Amino acid sequence: MFSLVELSDLQTTGLPSWCPGCGNFSIWQVIKMAVIELDLNAKDVVIVSGIGCSGKYPYWIKTYGFHSIHGRTLPVATGIRLANHDLKVIAIGGDGDGYSEGTNHVLHAARRNVDMAYLVCNNQIYGLTTGQVSPTSLRGTKTKTTPIGSFEWPINPISIALAAGASFVARGFAGDVRHLTDLIIKAITHEGFGFLDMLQPCVTFNKVNTYKFFRERVYKLQDENHDTNDAIKAYKKSLEWGERIPIGIFYDGKKPTYESQISQLSKGPLSEHDISDIDISSEMKNFV
Ligand code: SF4
């Protein structure tokens, strides 16, 4: 596809400080490729992150960006989207950020169907804080906080997103760049909440869920003619994890977005509304 946007348009002067070989490097490239393939102008995109190794994306992709606080990626992204729904909003965070500190926000953003992409760098460990068990760590995982192995069962992000009513649910793998680019494009262009869990090896602290581990197990749902319109089949597929791990689109449904139901937004983005004739001086007296 011909694109007016070039890689250099999205390049920042600073370079990522992730560990060599980290799965974040391929996701970093893939997001830029998706922006280029969609021919999005950098000024029309905002990347919102939480805390963690994945919190750094807004610094290293030259679009608008907001590095928010732990687990609060989605409320900030929702606010930005409602204030200016002409922007393409890409929310990104880790499994700790999204499935522990911010789990409740994932549920509510999914059920509201706010039009944004939500990309989760799922490395099944807390990387930035140097290797503690996370909500998606496999049972038995040995970390600093679980020296004899975790007693807990991991949560299943795909099942949870489906149960919460997300209208688009997918899983990608950082080791399959072309496939992941296509999924990110779909999550961005989907009309509604585009949920994408990404298997992102943490080469420093997770010695179990490595590139090799995933390469030996992942298979593509599209190769098995999975019906992406069927939420029940999607849920059944979401339970599969072990010798075979499905990647691709589990569910791609349709329902009205949150924004489309707010009448005030039909006149254009809130950020462009003329409010010069609105007197808020009495309200300001109460707060300032
Ligand atoms: Fe990547 Fe893990 Fe290093 Fe963080 S700690 S940059 S997730 S390899």
Side-chain angles (χ1 to χ4, degrees), residues 22-71:
C22 174
N24 275 310
F25 279 103
S26 46
I27 295 170
W28 177 57
Q29 293 298 349
V30 159
I31 294 174
K32 290 186 281 186
M33 279 160 60
V35 169
I36 289 167
E37 288 188 28
L38 287 170
D39 206 13
L40 296 173
N41 196 315
K43 74 171 181 50
D44 297 325
V45 177
V46 58
I47 296 177
V48 186
S49 69
I51 298 295
C53 295
S54 58
K56 313 289 181 60
Y57 280 92
Y59 300 107
W60 299 322
I61 301 179
K62 202 168 151 196
T63 60
Y64 283 114
F66 196 113
H67 188 178
S68 75
I69 55 174
H70 215 352

Side-chain angles (χ1 to χ4, degrees), residues 18-19 22 24 53 123 127 200 202-205:
W18 292 310
C19 311
C22 174
N24 275 310
C53 295
N123 53 27
Q200 177 252 303
C202 168
V203 294
T204 304
F205 296 111

